[in-house]
mmCIF file of all heavy atoms in Angstrom:
data_model
loop_
_atom_site.group_PDB
_atom_site.id
_atom_site.type_symbol
_atom_site.label_atom_id
_atom_site.label_comp_id
_atom_site.label_asym_id
_atom_site.label_seq_id
_atom_site.Cartn_x
_atom_site.Cartn_y
_atom_site.Cartn_z
ATOM 1 N N SER B 84 -1.439 6.366 7.716
ATOM 2 C CA SER B 84 -0.215 5.754 8.143
ATOM 3 C C SER B 84 0.376 5.105 6.873
ATOM 4 O O SER B 84 -0.250 4.163 6.285
ATOM 5 C CB SER B 84 -0.400 4.703 9.288
ATOM 6 O OG SER B 84 -0.843 5.360 10.418
ATOM 7 N N ALA B 85 1.525 5.548 6.441
ATOM 8 C CA ALA B 85 2.144 5.091 5.172
ATOM 9 C C ALA B 85 3.497 5.817 5.040
ATOM 10 O O ALA B 85 3.866 6.634 5.863
ATOM 11 C CB ALA B 85 1.263 5.453 3.946
ATOM 12 N N THR B 86 4.142 5.537 3.959
ATOM 13 C CA THR B 86 5.384 6.266 3.579
ATOM 14 C C THR B 86 4.981 7.308 2.567
ATOM 15 O O THR B 86 4.304 6.914 1.572
ATOM 16 C CB THR B 86 6.473 5.311 3.008
ATOM 17 O OG1 THR B 86 6.886 4.417 4.094
ATOM 18 C CG2 THR B 86 7.672 6.118 2.529
ATOM 19 N N TYR B 87 5.460 8.490 2.751
ATOM 20 C CA TYR B 87 5.084 9.590 1.819
ATOM 21 C C TYR B 87 6.363 10.001 1.072
ATOM 22 O O TYR B 87 7.364 10.380 1.552
ATOM 23 C CB TYR B 87 4.556 10.828 2.551
ATOM 24 C CG TYR B 87 3.147 10.514 3.035
ATOM 25 C CD1 TYR B 87 2.865 9.732 4.183
ATOM 26 C CD2 TYR B 87 2.011 10.935 2.352
ATOM 27 C CE1 TYR B 87 1.670 9.409 4.645
ATOM 28 C CE2 TYR B 87 0.715 10.641 2.792
ATOM 29 C CZ TYR B 87 0.565 9.800 3.970
ATOM 30 O OH TYR B 87 -0.650 9.546 4.316
ATOM 31 N N LEU B 88 6.244 9.876 -0.239
ATOM 32 C CA LEU B 88 7.301 10.122 -1.170
ATOM 33 C C LEU B 88 7.203 11.492 -1.859
ATOM 34 O O LEU B 88 6.197 11.805 -2.404
ATOM 35 C CB LEU B 88 7.384 9.046 -2.219
ATOM 36 C CG LEU B 88 7.681 7.638 -1.785
ATOM 37 C CD1 LEU B 88 7.382 6.663 -2.953
ATOM 38 C CD2 LEU B 88 9.139 7.443 -1.404
ATOM 39 N N CYS B 89 8.265 12.311 -1.724
ATOM 40 C CA CYS B 89 8.315 13.576 -2.452
ATOM 41 C C CYS B 89 9.047 13.369 -3.780
ATOM 42 O O CYS B 89 10.084 12.648 -3.799
ATOM 43 C CB CYS B 89 9.051 14.569 -1.641
ATOM 44 S SG CYS B 89 9.390 16.172 -2.395
ATOM 45 N N ALA B 90 8.509 13.825 -4.866
ATOM 46 C CA ALA B 90 9.089 13.597 -6.180
ATOM 47 C C ALA B 90 9.187 14.941 -6.925
ATOM 48 O O ALA B 90 8.270 15.727 -6.837
ATOM 49 C CB ALA B 90 8.350 12.576 -6.960
ATOM 50 N N VAL B 91 10.270 15.096 -7.637
ATOM 51 C CA VAL B 91 10.545 16.302 -8.380
ATOM 52 C C VAL B 91 10.830 16.038 -9.903
ATOM 53 O O VAL B 91 11.474 15.027 -10.161
ATOM 54 C CB VAL B 91 11.776 17.057 -7.714
ATOM 55 C CG1 VAL B 91 12.213 18.233 -8.580
ATOM 56 C CG2 VAL B 91 11.453 17.409 -6.313
ATOM 57 N N ASN B 92 10.248 16.875 -10.711
ATOM 58 C CA ASN B 92 10.515 16.667 -12.172
ATOM 59 C C ASN B 92 11.283 17.871 -12.684
ATOM 60 O O ASN B 92 10.948 19.005 -12.441
ATOM 61 C CB ASN B 92 9.185 16.567 -12.872
ATOM 62 C CG ASN B 92 9.276 15.855 -14.216
ATOM 63 O OD1 ASN B 92 10.379 15.644 -14.742
ATOM 64 N ND2 ASN B 92 8.145 15.411 -14.717
ATOM 65 N N VAL B 93 12.364 17.580 -13.369
ATOM 66 C CA VAL B 93 13.188 18.710 -13.918
ATOM 67 C C VAL B 93 13.224 18.581 -15.461
ATOM 68 O O VAL B 93 13.419 17.511 -16.004
ATOM 69 C CB VAL B 93 14.642 18.549 -13.420
ATOM 70 C CG1 VAL B 93 15.482 19.712 -14.024
ATOM 71 C CG2 VAL B 93 14.714 18.588 -11.901
ATOM 72 N N TYR B 94 12.865 19.646 -16.094
ATOM 73 C CA TYR B 94 13.053 19.696 -17.565
ATOM 74 C C TYR B 94 14.318 20.463 -17.868
ATOM 75 O O TYR B 94 14.283 21.663 -17.730
ATOM 76 C CB TYR B 94 11.837 20.296 -18.235
ATOM 77 C CG TYR B 94 11.976 20.536 -19.690
ATOM 78 C CD1 TYR B 94 12.597 19.518 -20.511
ATOM 79 C CD2 TYR B 94 11.644 21.661 -20.372
ATOM 80 C CE1 TYR B 94 12.759 19.725 -21.887
ATOM 81 C CE2 TYR B 94 11.786 21.940 -21.646
ATOM 82 C CZ TYR B 94 12.388 20.980 -22.417
ATOM 83 O OH TYR B 94 12.542 21.097 -23.743
ATOM 84 N N SER B 95 15.357 19.776 -18.262
ATOM 85 C CA SER B 95 16.644 20.484 -18.439
ATOM 86 C C SER B 95 16.856 20.864 -19.903
ATOM 87 O O SER B 95 17.944 21.461 -20.180
ATOM 88 C CB SER B 95 17.765 19.511 -17.950
ATOM 89 O OG SER B 95 17.728 18.377 -18.697
ATOM 90 N N GLY B 96 15.938 20.622 -20.769
ATOM 91 C CA GLY B 96 16.138 20.975 -22.133
ATOM 92 C C GLY B 96 16.682 19.872 -22.995
ATOM 93 O O GLY B 96 16.687 19.924 -24.209
ATOM 94 N N GLY B 97 17.079 18.823 -22.349
ATOM 95 C CA GLY B 97 17.558 17.553 -23.020
ATOM 96 C C GLY B 97 16.496 16.604 -23.061
ATOM 97 O O GLY B 97 15.360 16.861 -23.212
#
Side-chain angles (χ1 to χ4, degrees):
Chain B
S84 297
T86 295
Y87 288 79
L88 297 165
C89 174
V91 172
N92 205 344
V93 179
Y94 172 44
S95 58

